[in-house]
Amino acid sequence: MLNLVLFGPPGAGKGTQAEFLIESFGLIHLSTGDILRNEIAAQTELGLQAKQFMDKGELVTDEVVIGMIKNKLTANSEAKGFIFDGFPRTVAQANALDEMLDENKTPISAMLCLEVEKQELINRLLNRGKTSGRSDDQDESIIENRISVYHEKTAPIKDYYAAQNKHFDIDGMGSVEEIAARLKETVKAL
Ligand code: AMP
């Protein structure tokens, strides 16, 4: 079983690259951002609560996102593997994920961290905001906050996976195809 954490700041290209990895390795894509946006679209209680955090570029509570991932893992128990996109985002989430995967003896294989310069992240997000309809991609101060939250709460997870020898930095600058090739090479070498 191949379980990958696709990691990096907002705008690093996680969603785009996840599509390539799913195709190449037959994995199931679990994006907590997508799941939350679906909840908002369906106007569920969870979605309405999450929206208040997402609109400001803050993180939704650990309890909520961990519960969502747990449900998805149970619902896809026959999967060949998963690609986690936008999860975990805190050390508490990383711990919870390890515990959930331990139950099935299917640990994380690697954490692939896309490294992208800050101005490029801002440009990509503002560009995506023109067509994505995502309000958190359209306001530069919210984008700045999302990047700060990443550095403060999410980036420390790199050390968590490095301690398990599972952390790989990938150059996330360049064309979509170039970055996809770098990721694929790293996964094949695992
Ligand atoms: P994303 O689509 O990954 O950029 O996520 C959009 C927003 O959803 C984030 O800014 C957070 O508010 C929320 N979110 C997504 N994933 C998580 C997570 N793992 N933990 C907490 N909040 C999350």
Side-chain angles (χ1 to χ4, degrees):
M1 193 158 180
L2 185 64
N3 282 325
L4 302 173
V5 171
L6 193 50
F7 194 81
K14 299 186 291 293
T16 305
Q17 294 299 334
E19 297 303 325
F20 283 92
L21 290 169
I22 297 161
E23 224 174 88
S24 306
F25 301 100
L27 307 175
I28 291 200
H29 182 201
L30 294 183
S31 153
T32 39
D34 285 350
I35 301 169
L36 289 165
R37 282 183 288 278
N38 287 339
E39 295 282 340
I40 293 174
Q43 298 191 320
T44 63
E45 182 65 27
L46 188 155
L48 294 177
Q49 278 177 16
K51 189 174 186 305
Q52 296 169 27
F53 296 98
M54 292 166 78
D55 282 349
K56 289 184 276 189
E58 295 293 332
L59 295 184
V60 174
T61 60
D62 287 335
E63 204 187 355
V64 165
V65 289
I66 291 166
M68 285 177 354
I69 289 288
K70 201 170 224 165
N71 290 341
K72 292 285 179 190
L73 292 180
T74 311
N76 293 285
S77 57
E78 303 298 314
K80 275 169 71 182
F82 295 94
I83 177 148
F84 298 94
D85 160 7
F87 180 90
R89 252 177 162 102
T90 62
V91 173
Q93 292 178 21
N95 270 309
L97 180 60
D98 272 353
E99 275 175 27
M100 290 185 258
L101 295 174
D102 262 3
E103 282 177 24
N104 304 324
K105 305 267 176 287
T106 53
I108 291 295
S109 317
M111 183 257 224
L112 309 166
C113 180
L114 292 168
E115 298 281 349
V116 178
E117 289 161 17
K118 185 174 175 190
Q119 193 53 50
E120 173 71 8
L121 295 174
I122 296 172
N123 294 346
R124 287 186 192 176
L125 290 170
L126 287 171
N127 214 22
R128 184 171 76 185
K130 288 180 195 158
T131 51
S132 68
R134 283 179 59 170
S135 58
D136 62 344
D137 284 345
Q138 290 170 27
D139 179 318
E140 202 158 335
S141 67
I142 295 173
I143 291 176
E144 289 275 357
N145 191 40
R146 289 162 66 198
I147 295 173
S148 304
V149 167
Y150 168 80
H151 286 297
E152 191 190 323
K153 298 189 173 151
T154 305
I157 304 180
K158 288 187 210 177
D159 291 338
Y160 177 91
Y161 287 105
Q164 301 182 13
N165 291 321
K166 291 177 180 173
H167 164 240
F168 297 85
D169 275 331
I170 311 283
D171 179 3
M173 300 288 287
S175 73
V176 169
E177 292 76 16
E178 281 165 346
I179 302 162
R182 287 177 203 137
L183 282 166
K184 208 168 158 178
E185 207 176 300
T186 307
V187 176
K188 277 192 171 163
L190 286 175

